[in-house]
Amino acid sequence: FICLTVYARLFNYNQFSMKQLINTIIFLLSFCVFYIIPINKAFADNTDPIINNQVLINEAYPNPNSSENEWIEIFNSSQEDINLNGWTLVDEVSSPSIVHKFSDEDKINPLSFFIVELSSSKLNNSGDTINLINDNQEIISQLSYVNSEPEKSFSLTKDGEIIISSPTKNKINKE
């Protein structure tokens, strides 16, 4: 409405016919409906869990006892299933090297954990950085740690800090 008032005053309303005014109103409404509203909606409704970092490396267990395996826990905090096909977990310190490559069967359900059991020692006890990389080769999540302790994990807190704790495999991390 404000645009129409300004438009009418700028171009002297008396010089336009009613048909021209109606055509102008239709044009302005079409512009709002087809251009302005979808653009604003696209920015406001960006709920892509990958873009919003809702898929996280939640915990790493690099220094297990001799009867256990190392493992990495990923958490999907979104309301959508996430297909991990083509994604990788990469250990930065060792050259870097691929710790795990996800297959087409691998997916994380909404609000769920996904555990990657490592069959051999892949993570460095003296410190490491683990990257979760999607199929577009973008780092989605990263967890770094130094000097692991036997039978302790590195856990992500709700505040985004990484702490040393007792392992909470497939459970919410303790603070």
Side-chain angles (χ1 to χ4, degrees), residues 53-64:
N53 292 331
Q54 294 176 341
V55 180
L56 303 166
I57 299 174
N58 191 54
E59 189 171 4
Y61 189 51
N63 195 352

Side-chain angles (χ1 to χ4, degrees), residues 149-162:
E149 296 178 21
E151 300 181 39
K152 294 290 184 181
S153 70
F154 290 89
S155 304
L156 186 64
T157 68
K158 64 182 175 184
D159 298 326
E161 294 180 58
I162 298 169

